[in-house]
């Protein structure tokens, strides 16, 4: 007989619907019938598989640190970097904030998330639930959206395509270790089901979701509007100012985000140009438009298709963090290409503005309470 999960009653966090979840078999998932939110998903032996993937990811993360990551050779000069050394270059260029953001998003936070997963899954398999494990789960869920190892990996690939026409680039052992780390971590997060972990930690008696009071609804709307307004202000310098400067034989050439897209397109790198254009231009605009539309609709009771609007929200919440590709591209190029007056790349003022834009739009999506959509539908339905 196939292994199953036990039945239970869950409250959907996105619409507050009460759902009786039946026994789940292999590769089955429980979905809220009201809003379509995935409540739980089950795979056979997923705890053991997720634990092994998390430990493997931690192992490959450690291997990605000490060895050579990338090498760059041009005009008889060569520069090699490892991941910690790349962060040191950013600090030496007086971009401490960019070094901190890159280090946290690509190394520190993913490591903490994996460590938290390892503790929780080890406890689930070999121990009994402890109160301090609830704190571990809380921080795993908080840090997970800000862990961007896979985005950094894609940014590295974009950087390689950008600079292969300038010089010879070699890939080191740490790069392959980082690829394996990113793959294992993504797979571990895929198999991790926080709902079943919560059921185990709380012995089936899950904590009640705080009701959405009128005061809480008003605060959610106000915070979202404030963050959206801030994001609009940041969008202007992020796209108008140079995101990096290229110094070639003493000549300084500033590059904006759109300028980089045009340059990639003219060089024939159409897929990469499309990725950068989508991630850096279209996605921030889409997030601002969709979130503004949703916030306006819930504030003035003009929701027409809640089922469609919640899908828009989930889509922009999922893709919003991928706009960090351009920031990581700048960080990699600055760390790698430092050959004095022959060829050097420096970050521009738009780098931090764009990074702040991505973070603010992510926070705006987090502060928007999706229960407002379904609460209004309940109130307005005759």
């Amino acid at each position: 007989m196939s292994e199953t999960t036990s039945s239970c009653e869950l409250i959907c966090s996105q619409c507050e619907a009460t759902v009786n979840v039946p026994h789940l078999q292999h590769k089955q998932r429980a979905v809220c019938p009201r809003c379509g939110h995935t409540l739980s998903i089950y795979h056979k032996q997923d705890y053991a598989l997720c634990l092994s993937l998390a430990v493997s990811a931690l192992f490959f993360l450690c291997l990605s640190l000490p060895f050579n990551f990338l090498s760059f050779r041009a005009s008889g000069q060569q520069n090699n970097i490892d991941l910690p050394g790349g962060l040191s270059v950013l600090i030496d260029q007086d971009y401490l904030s960019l070094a901190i953001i890159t280090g946290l998003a690509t190394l520190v936070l993913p490591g903490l998330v994996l460590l938290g997963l390892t503790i929780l899954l080890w406890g689930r398999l070999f121990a009994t639930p402890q109160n301090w494990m609830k704190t571990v789960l809380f921080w795993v869920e908080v840090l997970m959206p800000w862990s961007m190892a896979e985005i950094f990996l894609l940014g590295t690939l974009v950087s390689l395509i950008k600079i292969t026409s300038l010089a010879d680039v070699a890939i080191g052992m740490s790069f392959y270790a980082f690829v394996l780390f990113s793959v294992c971590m993504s797979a571990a997060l895929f198999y991790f089901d926080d709902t079943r972990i919560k059921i185990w930690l709380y012995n089936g008696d899950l904590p009640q979701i705080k009701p959405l009071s009128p005061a809480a609804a008003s605060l959610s709307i106000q915070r979202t509007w404030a963050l959206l307004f801030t994001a609009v202000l940041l969008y202007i310098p992020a796209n108008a100012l140079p995101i990096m400067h290229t110094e070639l034989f003493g000549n300084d050439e500033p590059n904006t985000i759109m300028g980089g897209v045009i340059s990639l397109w003219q060089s024939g790198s159409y897929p990469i140009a499309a990725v950068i254009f989508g991630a850096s231009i279209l996605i921030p605009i889409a997030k601002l438009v969709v979130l503004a539309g949703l916030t306006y609709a819930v504030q003035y009771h003009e929701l027409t298709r809640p089922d469609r609007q919640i899908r828009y929200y989930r889509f922009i919440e999922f893709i919003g963090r991928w706009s960090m590709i351009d920031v990581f591209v700048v960080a990699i190029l600055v760390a790698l290409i430092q050959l004095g007056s022959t060829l050097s790349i420096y970050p521009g003022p738009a780098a931090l503005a764009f990074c702040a834009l991505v973070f603010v739009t992510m926070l705006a999506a987090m502060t928007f309470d999706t229960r407002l959509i379904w609460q209004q539908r309940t109130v307005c339905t005759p």
Side-chain angles (χ1 to χ4, degrees), residues 1-173:
M1 179 176 293
S2 60
E3 186 180 354
T4 62
T5 62
S6 58
S7 60
C8 61
E9 184 177 88
L10 300 176
I11 297 178
C12 178
S13 61
Q14 295 200 355
C15 70
E16 285 192 330
T18 301
V19 183
N20 291 312
V21 178
H23 295 278
L24 297 180
Q25 297 183 354
H26 180 50
K27 292 186 178 181
Q28 285 187 333
R29 63 173 181 158
V31 179
C32 175
R34 186 184 189 191
C35 70
H37 175 58
T38 298
L39 301 173
S40 181
I41 188 169
Y42 174 70
H43 297 85
K44 284 193 294 185
Q45 305 298 327
D46 54 355
Y47 292 131
L49 179 58
C50 187
L51 176 60
S52 62
L53 287 168
V55 173
S56 299
L58 279 172
F59 173 73
F60 288 123
L61 174 60
C62 294
L63 281 182
S64 68
L65 298 177
F67 303 108
N68 186 39
F69 189 71
L70 292 173
S71 299
F72 178 81
R73 179 189 293 271
S75 302
Q77 300 183 65
Q78 181 171 335
N79 187 28
N80 304 318
I81 62 165
D82 52 31
L83 289 176
L87 298 177
S88 299
V89 173
L90 292 175
I91 296 173
D92 293 338
Q93 297 297 327
D94 294 327
Y95 259 73
L96 176 63
S97 53
L98 185 59
I100 292 174
I101 291 168
T102 304
L104 286 175
T106 61
L107 300 175
V108 178
L109 297 186
L112 291 176
V113 169
L114 289 170
L115 183 61
L117 290 180
T118 302
I119 293 172
L120 291 171
L121 295 166
W122 184 273
R124 177 65 182 86
L125 290 172
F126 304 109
T128 56
Q130 305 291 330
N131 284 330
W132 59 268
M133 293 182 181
K134 299 175 184 177
T135 304
V136 173
L137 178 59
F138 169 79
W139 281 108
V140 166
E141 293 180 325
V142 168
L143 298 179
M144 203 176 291
W146 307 98
S147 174
M148 303 179 182
E150 72 281 12
I151 304 175
F152 179 80
L153 178 60
L154 182 57
T156 304
L157 298 177
V158 172
S159 302
L160 291 177
I161 294 174
K162 275 190 169 187
I163 61 179
T164 48
S165 61
L166 299 175
D168 296 327
V169 181
I171 295 174
M173 289 183 58

Side-chain angles (χ1 to χ4, degrees), residues 253-296:
E253 180 183 345
N255 299 279
T256 62
I257 294 176
M258 196 62 199
V261 172
I262 295 173
S263 177
L264 286 169
W265 186 270
Q266 292 176 343
S267 65
S269 302
Y270 305 123
I272 301 301
V275 168
I276 296 298
F277 181 76
S280 303
I281 305 295
L282 292 184
I283 289 178
I285 293 177
K287 290 193 71 172
L288 292 174
V289 171
V290 172
L291 282 174
L294 284 174
T295 308
Y296 178 87

